[in-house]
Amino acid sequence: MGASEHDIGDDTLCPIAHSTGLVGDRWSILIVRELLLGQSRFQDLQAQTGATSQMLAARLKRLEADGLVERHAYLERPPRHEYRLTPKGRHLMPVILALRTWGEQWCKPQGQQPATRMFHRACGSELELDGKCPACGGLVAWTEMSGQPSQAWAEERARRAAEFTDHRRAATSPSAEPEQ
Amino acid sequence: MGASEHDIGDDTLCPIAHSTGLVGDRWSILIVRELLLGQSRFQDLQAQTGATSQMLAARLKRLEADGLVERHAYLERPPRHEYRLTPKGRHLMPVILALRTWGEQWCKPQGQQPATRMFHRACGSELELDGKCPACGGLVAWTEMSGQPSQAWAEERARRAAEFTDHRRAATSPSAEPEQ
DNA sequence: CTCGACACTATGAATTTCATATCTTCGCTG
DNA sequence: CAGCGAAGATATGAAATTCATAGTGTCGAG
């Protein structure tokens, strides 16, 4: 027990087939993104990814079984957990960064500034989208970067969190909706 | 008509949500992998990805609508097309490379040699999994690399192609199956 | 002792994907 | 020119997945 792997992409030498077998879907990727951003609680993951609770629960279970995520109890007596990436999960950072670069370059209205600014820790310069350091003149390894969300994106995330809580409240309380 | 975009991940600043809206599924990624490897015909894509024909047709349609893939007629009179990546599609290479690195490092029995060997075009050295050039001592940009499939992987792919054709032949001909 | 927060789980409907078969248009063979 | 096979799909109904919505259990606050 412990051997899991919903064997998709096994039986091939192609590493990409293996990878997509574990994280080849939208929700897994968004969850890993959130965990890399430092979120760890169920609720926050749900609010920021937009997944349904059952989808999130199922994916977290699978990610844990595949060794990307660890569940830590931070409260015993109503059982409460936080979710953290394992080293295996954390090493998905380059994939996330590559998706970021592509998304910024090809999927957004041009001229819009990136959601996250990345910096070269060694010299403090802001990195270009492709990971080059304008000061050092070369590509920077992901382990040498740190990121900071833009004002606009931070606000979007705060709004999402707030809306999620509201939604919750509305669904629970049988009182009249405050709309209009 | 013409405006497509199955708007998932719009309405956010997050570039990763945008990216996964377009390529956030297993089949799209595997198709892009094949196109990057130089395959262009429907049949080859189907054989190497393992997608059903309808899945492949649907995904190619969507990838075309989203501007990742172009369809070129190479025959008029039985309409025959080949599929090629656009620049937008080709720029997914870093994502594929990141998935490759992760898959090789975390999803395969250790010690197994990579399915593809990558080389630094400028100096000819074989690159490490993480993209470092042992000769030049830094990370190499994806535009400066070239890859070559290992013997074993080339064989696997050839076998897959052969099996696919056999399968076809078997399904079409109403003669007795040659099994046993 | 009621209420709300949190982390889920349950349920049935809607959507997606799958396996399998079929279609179309050609070129070739006899 | 009838028949066959290849290539590139489309059709169909069953199986699996995902969704929206609602509910469960446990706790602390009031």
Side-chain angles (χ1 to χ4, degrees):
Chain A
M1 300 128 204
S4 148
E5 317 283 320
H6 33 102
D7 56 21
I8 251 177
D10 283 0
D11 85 325
T12 177
L13 291 175
C14 176
I16 296 154
H18 284 270
S19 297
T20 57
L22 303 195
V23 292
D25 73 280
R26 181 172 155 67
W27 297 127
S28 299
I29 293 175
L30 293 180
I31 291 166
V32 169
R33 177 199 69 184
E34 285 308 309
L35 293 169
L36 281 169
L37 282 169
Q39 301 292 356
S40 64
R41 294 207 325 264
F42 192 90
Q43 181 179 213
D44 296 330
L45 298 176
Q46 197 185 345
Q48 299 300 329
T49 60
T52 62
S53 53
Q54 70 182 201
M55 184 78 294
L56 179 56
R59 282 294 180 275
L60 284 171
K61 209 163 282 183
R62 205 177 76 180
L63 289 170
E64 192 189 3
D66 290 336
L68 307 197
V69 159
E70 275 171 357
R71 181 188 309 242
H72 294 273
Y74 68 91
L75 255 189
E76 281 290 338
R77 305 291 299 95
R80 292 290 177 268
H81 306 95
E82 55 178 8
Y83 297 92
R84 292 190 216 144
L85 290 171
T86 61
K88 181 173 177 180
R90 234 172 291 124
H91 277 71
L92 278 170
M93 176 75 97
V95 176
I96 300 288
L97 286 172
L99 285 169
R100 164 188 177 262
T101 299
W102 190 76
E104 293 286 0
Q105 286 185 325
W106 297 95
C107 299
K108 303 217 305 199
Q110 74 281 48
Q112 203 174 299
Q113 67 179 12
T116 304
R117 304 169 63 194
M118 301 295 299
F119 298 90
H120 188 182
R121 269 212 294 273
C123 75
S125 324
E126 181 169 356
L127 299 172
E128 328 232 325
L129 260 186
D130 61 5
K132 252 184 231 137
C133 177
C136 313
L139 290 175
V140 173
W142 64 276
T143 47
E144 297 303 321
M145 301 176 180
S146 61
Q148 181 178 344
S150 72
Q151 182 68 15
W153 196 39
E155 277 163 20
E156 179 189 315
R157 292 174 61 82
R159 181 160 33 75
R160 227 186 280 287
E163 275 165 19
F164 181 77
T165 329
D166 288 359
H167 225 245
R168 267 272 179 117
R169 205 190 315 281
T172 309
S173 76
S175 62
E177 56 260 39
E179 294 195 26
Q180 208 267 81
Chain B
M1 309 164 170
S4 156
E5 313 285 317
H6 33 100
D7 56 24
I8 252 177
D10 284 0
D11 85 324
T12 177
L13 292 174
C14 176
I16 296 153
H18 284 270
S19 297
T20 56
L22 302 195
V23 293
D25 75 277
R26 184 173 154 64
W27 297 128
S28 300
I29 294 175
L30 293 180
I31 292 167
V32 170
R33 176 199 69 183
E34 284 308 310
L35 292 169
L36 281 169
L37 282 170
Q39 301 291 354
S40 64
R41 294 206 324 263
F42 192 92
Q43 181 179 213
D44 295 330
L45 298 176
Q46 195 184 347
Q48 298 300 330
T49 60
T52 61
S53 54
Q54 70 181 198
M55 185 74 300
L56 180 55
R59 281 295 180 275
L60 284 171
K61 209 163 282 183
R62 205 176 78 180
L63 290 171
E64 191 187 4
D66 290 335
L68 308 196
V69 158
E70 276 171 357
R71 182 186 307 243
H72 294 272
Y74 68 89
L75 255 187
E76 281 290 339
R77 306 292 299 97
R80 291 292 177 268
H81 305 96
E82 56 179 5
Y83 297 91
R84 292 188 215 145
L85 290 171
T86 60
K88 182 175 177 180
R90 234 172 291 123
H91 277 72
L92 278 170
M93 176 76 96
V95 176
I96 301 288
L97 286 173
L99 286 169
R100 163 187 178 262
T101 299
W102 190 77
E104 293 286 2
Q105 286 186 324
W106 296 95
C107 301
K108 304 217 307 200
Q110 75 282 49
Q112 202 174 299
Q113 68 179 11
T116 304
R117 302 170 64 194
M118 300 296 298
F119 300 89
H120 189 182
R121 270 212 294 272
C123 75
S125 325
E126 181 168 358
L127 299 172
E128 328 231 325
L129 259 187
D130 62 5
K132 251 184 233 138
C133 177
C136 313
L139 290 175
V140 173
W142 63 275
T143 46
E144 296 304 320
M145 302 176 180
S146 60
Q148 181 177 344
S150 72
Q151 181 68 15
W153 196 39
E155 277 163 19
E156 180 190 315
R157 294 174 59 83
R159 182 162 31 77
R160 227 185 279 287
E163 274 165 19
F164 181 77
T165 328
D166 286 0
H167 225 246
R168 266 268 177 129
R169 204 189 317 282
T172 309
S173 76
S175 61
E177 56 261 39
E179 296 194 22
Q180 210 267 41

